[in-house]
Amino acid sequence: MEFTFDLNTIWFILIGVLLTGYAILDGFDLGVGSLHLLVKDDTERRLMINSIGPVWDGNEVWLVTGGGALFAAFPHVYATVFSGFYTAFMLLLAGLIFRAVAIEFRSKRPSKRWRNAWDIAFSVSSILIALLMGVALGNIITGVPLGADKEFAGNFWSLINPYTVMVGITTVALFMMHGSIYAVLKTEGELQKRLSGWVNNTIIFFVIMYVTTTMATLIYYPHMIDHFKDSPALFLVAILNMLAIANIPREIHHKREFRAFLSSAASIAALLALFALGLFPNIVLSNPNPEFSLNIYNAASSQKTLNIMLIMAIIGIPFVLAYTISIYWVFRGKVKLNAMSY
């Protein structure tokens, strides 16, 4: 693998870091939402929502920042993806909106029917968001039809095939596992015991989907492992990923929920690192015409723009990190219900 540590590569890495931060932080939000309907009691459902209540909107800052960085650093990618995946992005936005409204409105009235309706909206939108994100990743792996003008030449239904749906379901399973661990971390008593039992089920669900998707990738999309053949040292990332996943049930068994959560976060980071290593230096693969693929050079802004943006990122990222850390520190500990709760 030819690797030049220039501004284009730095921005490929930075955007990857921002989107990984989003996947780790909003991933457990979406996981809690996906499991929400499995909790039947109203008080327990309020505990589930309030476990993410103080942080869910702040977590989405990472998605906005990653999208903004993509727009400025690789505008051709932003234009092609957002116009080509327009219907998919509208569905994603609808999911984000319904999820936010459901959290805010659910407890405004005591009516059981009212609360059940918003519970369904919250859970379905959480699953939909995770599924669409996985389908998008699947399409980046398979490649999408691009023309010489860098425009998407397909339609919404051309983005849906068995492999991309499989990646979508794997993403849902991953976030369910991540969310169940976070819920165990934030709850106590009988609800925590029940959630602890769910963790192993979500791990089994994720491992089955992970192994199946990996096999399909190796068989049908072997270009994703070319760099690993050229540089065997990169296989260490795959080993670290497996170790992180294997460590989760061990930590749960010893009731070390925070360590289990860190292992889950590490597995998400390692999975996205494997994805990025397989893709580099491309950002959007063109299929069937790979010469039209968008990469970190033909889709990038000018060197002057990338340089100015890097200076802004060096100044701004510490503020985002400080905000994120301070919010989690203030709202640390087990979730409690009070008059201000959702």
Side-chain angles (χ1 to χ4, degrees):
M1 177 172 65
E2 293 182 11
F3 182 83
T4 305
F5 197 66
D6 51 18
L7 279 171
N8 302 59
T9 304
I10 290 172
W11 272 104
F12 181 83
I13 295 171
L14 278 178
I15 291 172
V17 169
L18 289 170
L19 296 180
T20 300
Y22 170 73
I24 291 173
L25 295 176
D26 211 32
F28 69 74
D29 290 353
L30 297 171
V32 168
S34 302
L35 297 168
H36 184 69
L37 291 180
L38 299 179
V39 177
K40 302 300 181 185
D41 180 72
D42 181 68
T43 301
E44 291 184 347
R45 285 187 175 181
R46 289 187 66 201
L47 285 169
M48 291 285 278
I49 289 180
N50 281 279
S51 70
I52 63 171
V55 296
W56 69 270
D57 47 356
N59 292 339
E60 292 181 355
V61 168
W62 290 77
L63 177 63
V64 175
T65 308
L70 183 68
F71 169 72
F74 303 109
H76 291 297
V77 172
Y78 186 91
T80 299
V81 170
F82 275 70
S83 59
F85 296 3
Y86 186 79
T87 304
F89 275 112
M90 288 301 103
L91 284 172
L92 180 67
L93 280 176
L96 289 169
I97 291 169
F98 267 94
R99 181 165 164 266
V101 173
I103 292 173
E104 296 293 338
F105 277 32
R106 182 198 181 274
S107 297
K108 297 294 184 186
R109 295 179 60 184
S111 164
K112 185 176 180 180
R113 184 176 295 180
W114 170 273
R115 293 189 173 191
N116 281 340
W118 287 116
D119 284 338
I120 292 170
F122 174 56
S123 195
V124 170
S125 58
S126 297
I127 294 171
L128 178 66
I129 293 166
L131 182 70
L132 287 171
M133 288 180 173
V135 171
L137 287 180
N139 274 284
I140 298 297
I141 293 172
T142 62
V144 294
L146 296 181
D149 56 357
K150 301 177 181 177
E151 291 293 332
F152 178 66
N155 56 56
F156 173 73
W157 296 110
S158 68
L159 302 174
I160 309 296
N161 60 60
Y163 179 79
T164 58
V165 172
M166 189 188 301
V167 178
I169 296 173
T170 304
T171 306
V172 173
L174 174 64
F175 287 168
M176 278 185 168
M177 177 185 75
H178 197 45
S180 65
I181 298 168
Y182 178 80
V184 170
L185 187 66
K186 295 295 291 182
T187 56
E188 55 192 345
E190 190 59 34
L191 177 59
Q192 187 191 42
K193 287 181 184 176
R194 211 164 341 119
L195 290 170
S196 297
W198 294 1
V199 172
N200 287 335
N201 293 335
T202 56
I203 290 174
I204 293 169
F205 178 32
F206 168 64
V207 169
I208 290 172
M209 291 307 305
Y210 175 55
V211 171
T212 308
T213 304
T214 301
M215 289 172 61
T217 304
L218 295 176
I219 295 170
Y220 299 109
Y221 305 103
H223 63 272
M224 291 298 289
I225 60 170
D226 286 347
H227 294 327
F228 296 89
K229 291 178 181 175
D230 297 338
S231 306
L234 295 177
F235 192 68
L236 283 173
V237 181
I239 294 174
L240 290 173
N241 181 38
M242 294 299 294
L243 290 175
I245 295 170
N247 189 50
I248 295 171
R250 175 175 169 272
E251 300 295 351
I252 290 291
H253 175 72
H254 292 289
K255 300 190 181 302
R256 297 189 292 240
E257 293 89 3
F258 184 65
R259 290 188 185 185
F261 182 76
L262 291 180
S263 281
S264 178
S267 69
I268 294 175
L271 279 171
L272 289 175
L274 290 171
F275 170 77
L277 287 168
L279 194 65
F280 184 84
N282 295 306
I283 303 176
V284 180
L285 284 174
S286 175
N287 183 12
N289 300 302
E291 66 273 18
F292 297 151
S293 296
L294 300 178
N295 59 48
I296 61 172
Y297 296 107
N298 67 9
S301 295
S302 67
Q303 292 295 296
K304 184 177 181 180
T305 301
L306 295 179
N307 193 37
I308 293 172
M309 284 176 55
L310 183 61
I311 295 171
M312 294 173 64
I314 292 172
I315 297 172
I317 287 178
F319 287 100
V320 176
L321 288 173
Y323 162 81
T324 303
I325 293 170
S326 63
I327 289 295
Y328 279 87
W329 177 256
V330 169
F331 293 100
R332 67 188 182 280
K334 304 293 184 184
V335 61
K336 306 286 185 186
L337 296 182
N338 56 46
M340 299 297 291
S341 300
Y342 289 113

